[in-house]
Amino acid sequence: DAGVTQSPTHLIKTRGQQVTLRCSPKSGHDTVSWYQQALGQGPQFIFQYYEEEERQRGNFPDRFSGHQFPNYSSELNVNALLLGDSALYLCASSPQRRSGYGYTFGSGTRLTVV
Amino acid sequence: GESVGLHLPTLSVQEGDNSIINCAYSNSASDYFIWYKQESGKGPQFIIDIRSNMDKRQGQRVTVLLNKTVKHLSLQIAATQPGDSAVYFCAEISTGYSTLTFGKGTMLLVSP
C-alpha cells in the first residue's frame, strides 16, 4: 500500500518564477494538507483540501494556491517566488471522517529559490 | 539528505539510556496531541498520540505524558537506540479543526 507520494523531490527555481508541487494521497484518504518547513523549524500549515475545495488556510499570502482533483491528488502552486520561500514542502493526507487522526506525511519537496 | 535539525535544541544520550523530550504547547483548547519523528530527508512519522482526557499513554518503548495545567507534553523513550536519532516534534489539534500546529522540535542524538 503506497503512502503519500510527492513530486519532484528537489527543485531549484529563480526568484520571481512560479512553481507547482504535486501530491498523491495514501490510498483511502480523501483530505490533503500542505505544510511548509523552513530549515530548523517545525512544519507550518498552508492549507487543506477536501472534496476539491480549500477548507482551511493558514497564514500564507495569496501567492500560495492549490487544487485538489477528483482522484484526491493535489497541487500546490507558488507564484512570484521569493528567496524566503525556500523550504521543504510537505503534503499530508488523512481520512476526513476521522478528522485530525490518521495523518500520513510524504517525504516532501525541497524547494530552493535562488 | 539535508538536515532538518539546524538550530534546534539537542538531547545527546548513550545507547540504552532512557530519553525524555519535552514540549510546551500553545493552545489550551487543543484536545489531541501527537509526537512525530523526522529523520533527515524524510517527512514526519507518527510515533504516539494522546487525547486531552488522558494524562498518560504507553506504546512500544515510548510513553507520552500530558500536563494540561501547565500545557506541557513529554515523550519518554526507553532503552534508546541509535536508530532513534532524529528530530522529534510535538503537534496539537484543536477541537473542530483537523490541522496540526507543530512545536519547535528537539534533535535526539544517540551514541553507540
Side-chain angles (χ1 to χ4, degrees):
Chain A
D1 177 27
V4 177
T5 58
Q6 292 187 243
S7 63
T9 55
H10 293 81
L11 200 54
I12 299 175
K13 288 287 190 177
T14 303
R15 192 171 40 181
Q17 285 188 315
Q18 179 264 346
V19 68
T20 297
L21 311 181
R22 296 177 175 82
C23 171
S24 293
K26 182 178 178 178
S27 177
H29 289 186
D30 57 10
T31 302
V32 173
S33 302
W34 287 91
Y35 290 78
Q36 180 196 65
Q37 185 175 25
L39 209 56
Q41 304 290 323
Q44 299 287 314
F45 173 69
I46 303 175
F47 42 54
Q48 183 183 81
Y49 277 84
Y50 172 66
E51 291 186 337
E52 301 179 48
E53 292 190 10
E54 183 181 295
R55 299 292 176 170
Q56 296 186 61
R57 188 179 182 93
N59 188 27
F60 279 80
D62 292 344
R63 298 186 299 109
F64 289 77
S65 63
H67 189 78
Q68 186 179 34
F69 299 93
N71 66 353
Y72 309 124
S73 67
S74 177
E75 290 181 349
L76 164 66
N77 302 293
V78 187
N79 294 322
L81 284 166
L82 304 174
L83 297 179
D85 295 330
S86 295
L88 180 67
Y89 287 86
L90 295 163
C91 172
S93 70
S94 58
Q96 174 66 12
R97 68 184 183 279
R98 301 182 69 199
S99 178
Y101 295 83
Y103 261 85
T104 302
F105 282 86
S107 292
T109 294
R110 170 67 65 186
L111 173 65
T112 302
V113 182
V114 298
Chain B
E2 193 169 343
S3 171
V4 298
L6 292 180
H7 311 302
L8 289 172
T10 300
L11 174 64
S12 296
V13 301
Q14 295 288 319
E15 182 177 3
D17 287 351
N18 296 329
S19 302
I20 299 176
I21 300 171
N22 297 303
C23 174
Y25 64 91
S26 57
N27 189 347
S28 57
S30 294
D31 61 355
Y32 178 53
F33 304 89
I34 309 170
W35 278 100
Y36 285 96
K37 171 185 181 183
Q38 188 173 24
E39 297 173 287
S40 187
K42 297 184 179 180
Q45 176 187 0
F46 174 91
I47 302 173
I48 191 169
D49 58 2
I50 189 169
R51 297 192 64 85
S52 60
N53 61 354
M54 304 171 68
D55 53 18
K56 180 179 181 179
R57 189 168 188 218
Q58 289 184 293
Q60 186 178 13
R61 282 202 307 120
V62 294
T63 300
V64 55
L65 299 178
L66 174 62
N67 185 330
K68 294 182 288 295
T69 302
V70 295
K71 295 193 289 186
H72 182 268
L73 272 170
S74 68
L75 175 70
Q76 301 177 1
I77 305 174
T80 313
Q81 303 167 0
D84 295 326
S85 294
V87 177
Y88 290 80
F89 291 99
C90 66
E92 59 188 291
I93 296 179
S94 301
T95 303
Y97 295 88
S98 62
T99 60
L100 296 164
T101 300
F102 283 82
K104 294 188 184 302
T106 298
M107 175 176 281
L108 175 65
L109 296 175
V110 183
S111 304

